[in-house]
Amino acid sequence: MLEGHVPMQGYLNVLRTPGLRVPLLAMVLGALPIGMLGLGLLLYVHRLTGSLADGGLAAAAFGLGNAAGMTAQGRLIDSYGQAKVLAPVGAACAAWSLLLVAAVPAVGGRGIAVAASAGLGSCIPATTGSMRVLLAELLRGAEVRTAGYAMLAVLFQLALLSGPLATSLLLVSAGPGASVVTGGFLAGGAGALFSMTRASRSWKPARKFVRHDGVRKNAGLAVLLLITAGTGLSAGEITAGLVFGAIPWRRSAARLLLAAVAGSAVAVGLAACAAGSLALLFPSLFLVGLCGGPSAIASSALLDALASRAALTRSYTVMVGVSLVGGALGNTVGGSITESLGHRQAFMLNAFWIAGLWAAGTLFRRALEPAPEAGPASAV
């Protein structure tokens, strides 16, 4: 199953690739505000309206706007290039954050605050999707690409987890409004920095778009999006992502994805059995995360075969967008189920749901494993 290999060599090769380190830094700086602004907007709108529910609506609107904006940016980047999209979107992001803090309090009203939060989310520059495309273009060899995809997933998750901490520090020193403005300007600056790097400026859209290999009418991509939207992640994802990316695997990405989803179903089932004991519950949830890391990396790797180069940015941003929407819906539904039925039943229903996703993926596995000539190179 494994080949002889120096575990960290793949990551070193990624970092040694000319032109990738600054875009990676910009990507982390661009992902950090996503974690910052969710909490920051919740607290800021709560202070404006006096309603925690209004704050929750603003945070949800930000997340949905982020998913929609990321998808739209993916299409624009595939058509016009990274620099022409990321820089102006970043400027708009900074402007939206100022609008939220300067104009919304004067106008007042829950609807205005929620709409402005959605607008801010839609203008978060798609640096993560752009980085994913650069990795596919600049890294040579399947093992190095897998390490690059793992590094991208881990850095993205670390940035998301660090965002609320940064917001908490700003709340103590300057208040929730400052956290919103800081997040908006940080995201905007990250988009500008990314667009100015040589790797981003050198990347050009494909000269022609291959209609049958794009996002629409792509059965394999549809199955992948279904699995991505329906599965969840947890803290163990970072550890598993680092390990998974450091080891070369002979199995196809589709089989590894399905194995990870099956493992997630088993892990969530174990969490249901351990729901009555915190000492057993936390290791079970960590095991869920250990399956989530390989799932995210295998999903990213599958795009090289399922999407053409002309639609790679759009495909990745759609995948991240449906993951964000799926996570938001999962949190909402999961909270309702837990409140009405209890933790054990909620975990068990989640286990059955993930098992159903595994069954669907297994049934349509052929769509996830297209012929080699369907890969992105064919569309260049």
Side-chain angles (χ1 to χ4, degrees), residues 195-208:
S195 68
M196 290 187 294
T197 62
R198 178 178 298 180
S200 181
R201 287 186 287 108
S202 300
W203 185 86
K204 304 297 181 184
R207 293 182 178 179
K208 61 179 181 178

PDB file of all heavy atoms in Angstrom, residues 195-208:
ATOM      1  N   SER A 195      -2.457  38.733  -6.017  1.00  0.00           N
ATOM      2  CA  SER A 195      -2.534  39.116  -7.434  1.00  0.00           C
ATOM      3  C   SER A 195      -1.237  39.731  -7.939  1.00  0.00           C
ATOM      4  O   SER A 195      -0.999  39.756  -9.149  1.00  0.00           O
ATOM      5  CB  SER A 195      -3.688  40.103  -7.644  1.00  0.00           C
ATOM      6  OG  SER A 195      -3.417  41.341  -7.012  1.00  0.00           O
ATOM      7  N   MET A 196      -0.377  40.233  -7.037  1.00  0.00           N
ATOM      8  CA  MET A 196       0.879  40.846  -7.446  1.00  0.00           C
ATOM      9  C   MET A 196       2.034  39.861  -7.552  1.00  0.00           C
ATOM     10  O   MET A 196       3.107  40.216  -8.043  1.00  0.00           O
ATOM     11  CB  MET A 196       1.254  41.974  -6.478  1.00  0.00           C
ATOM     12  CG  MET A 196       0.352  43.199  -6.574  1.00  0.00           C
ATOM     13  SD  MET A 196       0.932  44.583  -5.568  1.00  0.00           S
ATOM     14  CE  MET A 196       0.731  43.924  -3.920  1.00  0.00           C
ATOM     15  N   THR A 197       1.849  38.624  -7.085  1.00  0.00           N
ATOM     16  CA  THR A 197       2.939  37.653  -7.154  1.00  0.00           C
ATOM     17  C   THR A 197       3.176  37.223  -8.598  1.00  0.00           C
ATOM     18  O   THR A 197       2.265  37.249  -9.437  1.00  0.00           O
ATOM     19  CB  THR A 197       2.628  36.418  -6.301  1.00  0.00           C
ATOM     20  OG1 THR A 197       1.442  35.775  -6.804  1.00  0.00           O
ATOM     21  CG2 THR A 197       2.407  36.790  -4.848  1.00  0.00           C
ATOM     22  N   ARG A 198       4.398  36.828  -8.863  1.00  0.00           N
ATOM     23  CA  ARG A 198       4.744  36.432 -10.228  1.00  0.00           C
ATOM     24  C   ARG A 198       3.947  35.209 -10.674  1.00  0.00           C
ATOM     25  O   ARG A 198       3.505  35.131 -11.827  1.00  0.00           O
ATOM     26  CB  ARG A 198       6.246  36.125 -10.315  1.00  0.00           C
ATOM     27  CG  ARG A 198       6.698  35.656 -11.684  1.00  0.00           C
ATOM     28  CD  ARG A 198       8.198  35.418 -11.729  1.00  0.00           C
ATOM     29  NE  ARG A 198       8.933  36.653 -11.457  1.00  0.00           N
ATOM     30  CZ  ARG A 198      10.270  36.718 -11.428  1.00  0.00           C
ATOM     31  NH1 ARG A 198      10.997  35.621 -11.623  1.00  0.00           N
ATOM     32  NH2 ARG A 198      10.868  37.870 -11.186  1.00  0.00           N
ATOM     33  N   ALA A 199       3.751  34.249  -9.750  1.00  0.00           N
ATOM     34  CA  ALA A 199       3.021  33.035 -10.115  1.00  0.00           C
ATOM     35  C   ALA A 199       1.597  33.356 -10.528  1.00  0.00           C
ATOM     36  O   ALA A 199       1.074  32.799 -11.507  1.00  0.00           O
ATOM     37  CB  ALA A 199       3.021  32.054  -8.940  1.00  0.00           C
ATOM     38  N   SER A 200       0.942  34.261  -9.807  1.00  0.00           N
ATOM     39  CA  SER A 200      -0.433  34.618 -10.129  1.00  0.00           C
ATOM     40  C   SER A 200      -0.508  35.412 -11.426  1.00  0.00           C
ATOM     41  O   SER A 200      -1.378  35.171 -12.273  1.00  0.00           O
ATOM     42  CB  SER A 200      -1.047  35.422  -8.982  1.00  0.00           C
ATOM     43  OG  SER A 200      -2.384  35.771  -9.261  1.00  0.00           O
ATOM     44  N   ARG A 201       0.412  36.381 -11.603  1.00  0.00           N
ATOM     45  CA  ARG A 201       0.387  37.191 -12.821  1.00  0.00           C
ATOM     46  C   ARG A 201       0.738  36.376 -14.055  1.00  0.00           C
ATOM     47  O   ARG A 201       0.292  36.683 -15.169  1.00  0.00           O
ATOM     48  CB  ARG A 201       1.361  38.368 -12.671  1.00  0.00           C
ATOM     49  CG  ARG A 201       0.862  39.450 -11.720  1.00  0.00           C
ATOM     50  CD  ARG A 201       1.761  40.668 -11.693  1.00  0.00           C
ATOM     51  NE  ARG A 201       3.019  40.406 -10.992  1.00  0.00           N
ATOM     52  CZ  ARG A 201       4.198  40.291 -11.578  1.00  0.00           C
ATOM     53  NH1 ARG A 201       4.292  40.401 -12.903  1.00  0.00           N
ATOM     54  NH2 ARG A 201       5.291  40.078 -10.873  1.00  0.00           N
ATOM     55  N   SER A 202       1.539  35.315 -13.868  1.00  0.00           N
ATOM     56  CA  SER A 202       1.953  34.490 -15.006  1.00  0.00           C
ATOM     57  C   SER A 202       0.881  33.482 -15.407  1.00  0.00           C
ATOM     58  O   SER A 202       0.907  32.962 -16.530  1.00  0.00           O
ATOM     59  CB  SER A 202       3.250  33.742 -14.677  1.00  0.00           C
ATOM     60  OG  SER A 202       4.298  34.648 -14.392  1.00  0.00           O
ATOM     61  N   TRP A 203      -0.050  33.198 -14.480  1.00  0.00           N
ATOM     62  CA  TRP A 203      -1.082  32.210 -14.790  1.00  0.00           C
ATOM     63  C   TRP A 203      -2.089  32.809 -15.770  1.00  0.00           C
ATOM     64  O   TRP A 203      -2.602  33.907 -15.571  1.00  0.00           O
ATOM     65  CB  TRP A 203      -1.810  31.777 -13.516  1.00  0.00           C
ATOM     66  CG  TRP A 203      -2.800  30.677 -13.741  1.00  0.00           C
ATOM     67  CD1 TRP A 203      -2.575  29.348 -13.754  1.00  0.00           C
ATOM     68  CD2 TRP A 203      -4.205  30.839 -14.008  1.00  0.00           C
ATOM     69  NE1 TRP A 203      -3.729  28.664 -14.003  1.00  0.00           N
ATOM     70  CE2 TRP A 203      -4.752  29.552 -14.169  1.00  0.00           C
ATOM     71  CE3 TRP A 203      -5.046  31.955 -14.128  1.00  0.00           C
ATOM     72  CZ2 TRP A 203      -6.100  29.338 -14.431  1.00  0.00           C
ATOM     73  CZ3 TRP A 203      -6.390  31.744 -14.399  1.00  0.00           C
ATOM     74  CH2 TRP A 203      -6.907  30.445 -14.545  1.00  0.00           C
ATOM     75  N   LYS A 204      -2.354  32.082 -16.823  1.00  0.00           N
ATOM     76  CA  LYS A 204      -3.288  32.538 -17.848  1.00  0.00           C
ATOM     77  C   LYS A 204      -4.443  31.548 -17.990  1.00  0.00           C
ATOM     78  O   LYS A 204      -4.245  30.334 -17.879  1.00  0.00           O
ATOM     79  CB  LYS A 204      -2.591  32.689 -19.206  1.00  0.00           C
ATOM     80  CG  LYS A 204      -1.376  33.612 -19.185  1.00  0.00           C
ATOM     81  CD  LYS A 204      -1.760  35.038 -18.829  1.00  0.00           C
ATOM     82  CE  LYS A 204      -0.534  35.948 -18.838  1.00  0.00           C
ATOM     83  NZ  LYS A 204      -0.872  37.326 -18.390  1.00  0.00           N
ATOM     84  N   PRO A 205      -5.646  32.050 -18.244  1.00  0.00           N
ATOM     85  CA  PRO A 205      -6.777  31.141 -18.475  1.00  0.00           C
ATOM     86  C   PRO A 205      -6.541  30.290 -19.719  1.00  0.00           C
ATOM     87  O   PRO A 205      -5.756  30.657 -20.604  1.00  0.00           O
ATOM     88  CB  PRO A 205      -7.969  32.086 -18.674  1.00  0.00           C
ATOM     89  CG  PRO A 205      -7.533  33.390 -18.106  1.00  0.00           C
ATOM     90  CD  PRO A 205      -6.052  33.458 -18.296  1.00  0.00           C
ATOM     91  N   ALA A 206      -7.198  29.146 -19.764  1.00  0.00           N
ATOM     92  CA  ALA A 206      -7.110  28.297 -20.948  1.00  0.00           C
ATOM     93  C   ALA A 206      -7.644  29.052 -22.158  1.00  0.00           C
ATOM     94  O   ALA A 206      -8.587  29.846 -22.054  1.00  0.00           O
ATOM     95  CB  ALA A 206      -7.894  27.000 -20.741  1.00  0.00           C
ATOM     96  N   ARG A 207      -7.062  28.811 -23.310  1.00  0.00           N
ATOM     97  CA  ARG A 207      -7.468  29.551 -24.517  1.00  0.00           C
ATOM     98  C   ARG A 207      -8.860  29.205 -24.969  1.00  0.00           C
ATOM     99  O   ARG A 207      -9.557  30.002 -25.582  1.00  0.00           O
ATOM    100  CB  ARG A 207      -6.474  29.270 -25.650  1.00  0.00           C
ATOM    101  CG  ARG A 207      -5.084  29.839 -25.376  1.00  0.00           C
ATOM    102  CD  ARG A 207      -4.166  29.578 -26.550  1.00  0.00           C
ATOM    103  NE  ARG A 207      -2.845  30.152 -26.318  1.00  0.00           N
ATOM    104  CZ  ARG A 207      -1.843  30.059 -27.181  1.00  0.00           C
ATOM    105  NH1 ARG A 207      -2.025  29.402 -28.331  1.00  0.00           N
ATOM    106  NH2 ARG A 207      -0.677  30.603 -26.904  1.00  0.00           N
ATOM    107  N   LYS A 208      -9.268  27.994 -24.680  1.00  0.00           N
ATOM    108  CA  LYS A 208     -10.613  27.595 -25.105  1.00  0.00           C
ATOM    109  C   LYS A 208     -11.267  26.816 -23.990  1.00  0.00           C
ATOM    110  O   LYS A 208     -10.612  26.170 -23.176  1.00  0.00           O
ATOM    111  CB  LYS A 208     -10.573  26.759 -26.388  1.00  0.00           C
ATOM    112  CG  LYS A 208      -9.790  25.450 -26.252  1.00  0.00           C
ATOM    113  CD  LYS A 208      -9.818  24.684 -27.560  1.00  0.00           C
ATOM    114  CE  LYS A 208      -9.052  23.354 -27.443  1.00  0.00           C
ATOM    115  NZ  LYS A 208      -9.107  22.582 -28.686  1.00  0.00           N
TER     116      LYS A 208
END
